[in-house]
Amino acid sequence: MTTRARTRNQQRLENESISERLDSAILWIALGTLFIVPLVFSFNGFVAVFSELKLVTLHLGAGLIAILWLWKIAVDRMNASDGRGEVSVLDLPRWLGRDPARWLIFVATAWIVAQATSSLLSPLPIVSLLGADDARSGYNLYDNLTFYVLFVVVATQFRTERRLKLLIYTLVSSGTVAAAYGIAQHFGWDPIGDSEGQARVWSSFGNPLNFGAYMVMTIPATLALAVPDRERRNLWLGVLAIAVGLQIAGLWFTGGRGPYIAFVMSMLSFGAIGLGIGQIRSMANSGIAAGLGLIIAIVIVVLPSPKDDLGISRVLSIGDQIVGQNDAELDEKNGLDARFDIWGTTLQTATSWESPRDESTASSVLRPVFGLGPDMFVYSYPLVADPGLSTNIVDHPHNYELQILMEQGVVGLVLIISVIALVLLAIYRTTKTLRSNATDLGTLGLLLLAAGPAAIGKLVEMQSGVSRVSELAMTFALLGAVAAIWAMASKLIPDSESASDGSSLSRIAISLKPGAVSGLSILSALAVTAIVLTTLIGWDLRRTTASRSWSAATSASTDIKRATGWFESQADAPERPQFTNSLFIELFNAAVDQHGLGEEDSALQLMHTARQLLLDFEDRDPYKRDVQLNLFKTEVFLVNWGQTEIADQAVERAERIFELYPAYLSMLQIVADDMPFIGRDDLEIEYNARIQDLG
């Protein structure tokens, strides 16, 4: 018996050691992912897609976290059971009542479940699951699952002052590096990027608004680090002042009016939280860092630069944007003028729930409940928008909640509003708790000052911005940090845990033997490991390899090598619109050139090859606008070159374009003007009449 007990204790110690190592790995993978995602991009065309490395880093990091976390739970369960443990009880109401932050986690979990349901009901489930376009990220189910993993791991595993400090340092350091690179772009130095010709800088984000949104989060977090007194105070304040100066200058150079307003709101909330805690005097160091940082930013802004400084004009135009609307085409509008149009059309969509697919009555009834499906907004917008000559593809309503409403329905909207409300409640409750329990601004107060205003500023920016994975990863991590801080602060309330635990079980409690819990934990870990690895290899690695090959082929020494590389890359990732469209254009132009030289057989072969590329892509995504228009063009050319049997397909395609894109009159006019080339003058007259009626 003694030997058996000794063996059991040794096994328990080994399991505890494994659990600790897994916990440490989860911590550093999470921090590494959050640091890398905003900074990495396709430097010098390393891969063909700008955001490729951001997505791979996000998916890989979140996937590894999910795997290690579940195995940690399995190890802990095996250690707890040891064949002699007590019966485990799964009691959701009791679990929620023990920890106020768990309500936030529960609602976020319900939101993910709603998104999964919406994806299943989507007109294109595979697109809703994995995304439709390389330039559009952060709204498919795959991306949102990674955000959820980051949110939950921070909310539950970062409940120590040290870990939350590391998270804040990660935000501040990544933001400072991004700001420094953005400033370098403004002054014409961009050795690894491609910002030439851009009046507004975008640093490593690919869009100035996303860059500005990240600065909105980093600036209050940096100022919070200045609060506590420490050794070499002046040196520390100087370092933080430089960081703040770089961040403010970077924000200024983005020219983003939405981020400007969000920055003001984050600073107001910074002061309000400090005042609410009742330790406003402790924030004197933050004021010093802010003042010095502002001076540094002004010096940077006024330095001569090859790019014009648009900051003043963008700030002065905020008022005009709020009150001014015009009747110009969407292409000619910007700022709130364009957003008012898009918001109005989006709300109109919410009354009709138009879908590009013919749907059953049951599907139509469920649309308001679960929405159009993740990443489906772009296909329904032209069905409802007012017809015009605009050529802009509107793929986002420029408001996060409206995007959720359209793609995830009323259920999704209610859940995301609940998440936001709980985050704001957490900030308020934590502020109130710290005010009544702290004699000075302790570490929890510092953490709240860092995470709270950053989260509030970003939530404000999301009301008019187009968020992408570059800043959404940190956004959800900050929401998780707010939940973790709330949970830690709630322990300061006397008898808070015992009062909320309760001794009786609810009616829905489920009892499980220790062996069953361990078995379920292991099976869950095995299943998630298999799914994550399969997805990473079959989706992310495959596409990244193809993207790298495409980029390498672009700089090939001969046309044959370049064409061969492009064909191989497109074959490896045929679902990528960038690859398919680029290769199509090359083949289409080559076919036209060959026909002009009298090489009719070669021209027909090239045109059919180009058409087949689009037909294969259409099998996955039959509603993409440029694919349908390009297919129509190939059919017109083939009919014009003597293959009259395709004329009926061209007519069917024309009808399909009129059905799917009634808002794009310029596109419809192209179709109408081409009808005589296939011998259908009657349809030219009919289509022009329909265009007149639409206009």
Side-chain angles (χ1 to χ4, degrees):
M1 294 296 292
T2 303
T3 303
R4 185 177 301 176
R6 186 179 302 157
T7 302
R8 197 161 44 234
N9 289 334
Q10 183 178 357
Q11 182 63 49
R12 182 182 294 111
L13 291 174
E14 290 178 357
N15 287 344
E16 289 175 353
S17 177
I18 293 172
S19 179
E20 290 174 359
R21 289 197 291 269
L22 289 174
D23 187 55
S24 180
I26 291 169
L27 168 68
W28 293 110
I29 291 173
L31 294 175
T33 300
L34 292 169
F35 181 81
I36 294 172
V37 166
L39 297 179
V40 71
F41 62 99
S42 179
F43 49 91
N44 284 336
F46 180 75
V47 287
V49 180
F50 183 89
S51 61
E52 181 84 62
L53 300 179
K54 294 181 183 294
L55 290 167
V56 172
T57 301
L58 176 65
H59 295 162
L60 177 62
L64 290 177
I65 290 170
I67 291 173
L68 296 177
W69 195 5
L70 285 173
W71 279 111
K72 178 182 181 300
I73 292 173
V75 170
D76 291 342
R77 291 299 181 186
M78 288 188 293
N79 220 27
S81 64
D82 196 24
R84 301 180 296 105
E86 297 180 355
V87 173
S88 297
V89 178
L90 300 179
D91 191 346
L92 180 60
R94 189 181 181 190
W95 181 82
L96 290 173
R98 291 177 58 189
D99 188 337
R102 288 176 180 172
W103 282 98
L104 184 53
I105 298 171
F106 172 74
V107 174
T109 303
W111 183 31
I112 281 294
V113 173
Q115 289 183 55
T117 305
S118 178
S119 298
L120 291 174
L121 297 172
S122 168
L124 297 174
I126 190 64
V127 170
S128 291
L129 173 62
L130 297 171
D133 198 304
D134 298 325
R136 191 165 64 245
S137 65
Y139 298 95
N140 59 73
L141 181 59
Y142 189 14
D143 290 345
N144 275 288
L145 282 170
T146 61
F147 298 148
Y148 172 76
V149 170
L150 290 174
F151 165 78
V152 175
V153 77
V154 172
T156 60
Q157 304 300 300
F158 279 56
R159 294 187 180 185
T160 67
E161 294 177 350
R162 172 181 173 270
R163 293 192 169 199
L164 287 171
K165 277 186 177 180
L166 288 173
L167 175 64
I168 300 305
Y169 286 137
T170 299
L171 169 60
V172 171
S173 58
S174 61
T176 304
V177 173
Y181 192 74
I183 292 170
Q185 286 180 334
H186 177 76
F187 289 103
W189 188 77
D190 190 8
I192 61 175
D194 186 24
S195 65
E196 186 177 354
Q198 299 294 328
R200 299 160 58 190
V201 301
W202 58 39
S203 186
S204 55
F205 291 78
N207 187 300
L209 294 180
N210 300 128
F211 176 32
Y214 203 74
M215 294 299 98
V216 167
M217 294 187 287
T218 63
I219 294 172
T222 307
L223 292 176
L225 293 180
V227 169
D229 285 321
R230 60 178 67 199
E231 294 182 5
R232 297 184 179 180
R233 170 178 173 272
N234 293 337
L235 177 60
W236 179 241
L237 288 180
V239 171
L240 293 180
I242 293 172
V244 170
L246 294 175
Q247 293 163 14
I248 293 176
L251 173 62
W252 182 263
F253 290 144
T254 67
R257 288 174 290 232
Y260 289 168
I261 295 173
F263 165 67
V264 172
M265 294 302 297
S266 69
M267 289 296 94
L268 290 175
S269 63
F270 186 88
I273 291 173
L275 184 63
I277 294 174
Q279 301 294 333
I280 197 69
R281 292 182 179 179
S282 302
M283 298 169 58
N285 288 343
S286 294
I288 295 173
L292 293 175
L294 184 60
I295 293 173
I296 293 172
I298 292 173
V299 171
I300 295 173
V301 168
V302 299
L303 290 175
S305 165
K307 294 185 179 181
D308 295 331
D309 178 18
L310 302 177
I312 290 292
S313 62
R314 302 286 289 184
V315 170
L316 294 177
S317 65
I318 290 177
D320 294 336
Q321 286 291 318
I322 293 175
V323 300
Q325 285 185 277
N326 60 67
D327 297 326
E329 290 294 329
L330 185 60
D331 293 11
E332 302 171 3
K333 297 181 180 181
N334 58 64
L336 284 180
D337 272 345
R339 284 161 175 74
F340 283 139
D341 273 5
I342 297 171
W343 292 342
T345 301
T346 300
L347 292 174
Q348 185 180 350
T349 306
T351 64
S352 60
W353 299 97
E354 293 283 351
S355 172
R357 183 185 69 183
D358 292 334
E359 297 190 310
S360 65
T361 302
S363 295
S364 298
V365 170
L366 290 174
R367 282 288 165 240
V369 181
F370 292 105
L372 302 165
D375 226 3
M376 290 290 109
F377 173 81
V378 64
Y379 304 114
S380 291
Y381 182 86
L383 298 174
V384 180
D386 292 333
L389 299 175
S390 171
T391 57
N392 273 350
I393 296 179
V394 179
D395 59 10
H396 192 290
H398 294 74
N399 177 280
Y400 194 77
E401 287 77 21
L402 283 179
Q403 180 88 7
I404 298 302
L405 173 62
M406 290 300 95
E407 297 187 343
Q408 300 170 29
V410 174
V411 170
L413 179 64
V414 169
L415 290 172
I416 186 57
I417 290 177
S418 299
V419 168
I420 294 172
L422 284 170
V423 166
L424 297 178
L425 177 62
I427 294 172
Y428 170 76
R429 291 283 299 276
T430 304
T431 300
K432 187 176 179 181
T433 300
L434 293 178
R435 181 183 182 90
S436 59
N437 286 273
T439 58
D440 60 3
L441 190 59
T443 303
L444 270 184
L446 182 153
L447 293 171
L448 182 64
L449 276 173
I456 290 173
K458 177 55 182 168
L459 290 174
V460 171
E461 187 276 335
M462 292 166 75
Q463 304 314 301
S464 62
V466 182
S467 298
R468 296 290 185 240
V469 297
S470 53
E471 79 277 10
L472 280 176
M474 183 58 77
T475 301
F476 280 91
L478 285 176
L479 299 184
V482 170
I485 295 169
W486 188 12
M488 294 168 65
S490 67
K491 295 179 181 179
L492 299 175
I493 303 174
D495 301 326
S496 61
E497 289 193 28
S498 60
S500 61
D501 280 350
S503 57
S504 60
L505 300 179
S506 70
R507 294 181 179 180
I508 63 173
I510 300 175
S511 298
L512 294 173
K513 294 182 178 180
V517 175
S518 298
L520 288 174
S521 300
I522 294 173
L523 288 176
S524 299
L526 287 171
V528 170
T529 300
I531 293 171
V532 169
L533 292 180
T534 300
T535 306
L536 288 173
I537 294 171
W539 180 256
D540 295 281
L541 180 60
R542 171 179 62 83
R543 286 160 60 89
T544 303
T545 302
S547 181
R548 177 70 188 120
S549 299
W550 182 283
S551 180
T554 301
S555 57
S557 57
T558 65
D559 291 342
I560 293 178
K561 289 183 178 179
R562 181 171 65 252
T564 301
W566 283 356
F567 269 107
E568 291 176 352
S569 298
Q570 196 278 336
D572 290 338
E575 76 284 347
R576 302 202 90 144
Q578 178 176 330
F579 293 178
T580 299
N581 289 338
S582 298
L583 193 54
F584 165 81
I585 291 172
E586 293 291 330
L587 293 169
F588 182 88
N589 290 337
V592 173
D593 291 342
Q594 287 294 300
H595 194 272
L597 296 173
E599 300 290 338
E600 295 185 3
D601 291 342
S602 178
L604 286 172
Q605 182 179 2
L606 287 168
M607 189 63 76
H608 276 291
T609 302
R611 181 168 179 260
Q612 190 59 48
L613 285 176
L614 299 186
L615 289 174
D616 292 341
F617 188 91
E618 186 185 32
D619 289 339
R620 179 180 188 269
D621 187 350
Y623 309 126
K624 194 166 180 60
R625 187 181 76 168
D626 52 354
V627 169
Q628 292 301 318
L629 183 59
N630 287 334
L631 277 170
F632 174 73
K633 289 180 179 178
T634 63
E635 289 158 357
V636 169
F637 269 86
L638 289 172
V639 172
N640 214 21
W641 291 351
Q643 298 200 343
T644 55
E645 68 274 10
I646 299 181
D648 290 341
Q649 296 180 43
V651 172
E652 292 176 4
R653 185 83 55 192
E655 285 294 329
R656 182 175 180 80
I657 290 172
F658 267 79
E659 291 174 1
L660 291 176
Y661 320 108
Y664 298 118
L665 298 184
S666 298
M667 182 179 180
L668 302 184
Q669 192 63 59
I670 292 173
V671 174
D673 293 343
D674 281 350
M675 297 316 293
F677 292 107
I678 60 174
R680 297 301 303 267
D681 298 73
D682 58 322
L683 287 179
E684 179 191 22
I685 297 172
E686 177 185 334
Y687 288 164
N688 277 317
R690 289 166 65 176
I691 292 171
Q692 289 292 326
D693 292 339
L694 288 171

